[in-house]
Amino acid sequence: AQTVTQSQPEMSVQEAETVTLSCTYDTSESDYYLFWYKQPPSRQMILVIRQEAYKQQNATENRFSVNFQKAAKSFSLKISDSQLGDAAMYFCAYNWYSGGSNYKLTFGKGTLLTVNP
Amino acid sequence: NAGVTQNPKFQVLKTGQSMTLQCAQDMNHNSMYWYRQDPGMGLRLIYYSASEGTTDKGEVPNGYNVSRLNKREFSLRLESAAPSQTSVYFCASLPGLGISYEQYFGPGTRLTVT
């Protein structure tokens, strides 16, 4: 079964500093995608970044980057130059094909990030 | 495009009451999903619909029913609400077939069952 583990329920960072959120997953599939979603206090789920398992190069979106270690099944999110607007719940998610026309997301339990001014 | 819309945004029910959560998307997506979010539990899949006319159970389907009314709409029904169903409910849709596609989420419905 596909599982996603976020071992840090809460993290905090000073404004302008860098923080890394951890995520590990378990799968027997060779091709899949991994996502990081951000959920601010508004509750809206926002995609931050995605990574294809077949790509060795780590994905980057502006201040957000990932460290993808396929053999270790690890997918951490690095936020550089943290801003107050980065404060949110962050979810790691694994996207997988479950047969037929069915695609599913399995989520981790989330990491609540606080940004201190 | 409004994206994925959900109604209502907030609801309070008494134990045993029934209600239907509405979800609609205007992006012509085939697949739609219902999740619940509980503190410390992440998002868990309740039901999904890969296409109009089909529905399947997810991880936590007990106590819920769904209807895929047409390609746009996917509703979630609680026949006899229980306090354990107090949660935030999200609807999502998927634009295509393939693992590269992200799901698009609605704004959520906060449901309290007393």
Side-chain angles (χ1 to χ4, degrees), chain A residues 31-33 35 37 39 42-45 47 50 91 95-98 101-105 107-110, chain B residues 9-10 33 35 37 40-43 48 50 88 90 94 97-103 105-108 110:
Chain A
D31 194 18
Y32 48 87
Y33 266 75
F35 298 91
Y37 278 91
Q39 186 183 45
S42 66
R43 285 206 312 251
Q44 184 66 50
M45 295 288 285
L47 180 68
R50 78 184 82 194
F91 291 100
N95 201 26
W96 55 288
Y97 174 61
S98 61
S101 300
N102 303 319
Y103 295 83
K104 295 180 184 175
L105 269 179
F107 286 88
K109 295 183 178 181
Chain B
K9 290 192 169 39
F10 300 93
Y33 302 80
Y35 295 90
Q37 181 182 10
M41 297 297 294
L43 277 76
Y48 64 100
V88 178
F90 287 95
L94 186 66
L97 298 180
I99 54 174
S100 65
Y101 291 100
E102 67 180 276
Q103 290 186 19
F105 286 83
R110 180 177 292 280

Side-chain angles (χ1 to χ4, degrees), chain B:
Chain B
N1 285 353
V4 181
T5 57
Q6 292 184 235
N7 286 294
K9 290 192 169 39
F10 300 93
Q11 183 72 49
V12 179
L13 289 178
K14 293 189 186 325
T15 298
Q17 288 184 320
S18 62
M19 79 161 295
T20 299
L21 279 64
Q22 310 285 353
C23 174
Q25 51 89 13
D26 61 359
M27 298 175 285
N28 202 35
H29 291 175
N30 283 323
S31 300
M32 297 184 73
Y33 302 80
W34 275 106
Y35 295 90
R36 60 178 288 172
Q37 181 182 10
D38 303 295
M41 297 297 294
L43 277 76
R44 293 180 294 169
L45 182 64
I46 304 172
Y47 270 94
Y48 64 100
S49 170
S51 60
E52 185 179 351
T54 68
T55 60
D56 284 288
K57 294 178 181 179
E59 182 185 352
V60 289
N62 291 345
Y64 305 96
N65 286 303
V66 290
S67 295
R68 183 74 183 268
L69 305 170
N70 47 55
K71 191 170 186 178
R72 289 187 66 248
E73 298 171 289
F74 187 38
S75 62
L76 179 71
R77 183 159 177 85
L78 286 70
E79 291 291 350
S80 179
S84 61
Q85 295 177 305
T86 293
S87 189
V88 178
Y89 291 85
F90 287 95
C91 178
S93 67
L94 186 66
L97 298 180
I99 54 174
S100 65
Y101 291 100
E102 67 180 276
Q103 290 186 19
Y104 290 77
F105 286 83
T109 295
R110 180 177 292 280
L111 174 67
T112 302
V113 182
T114 61

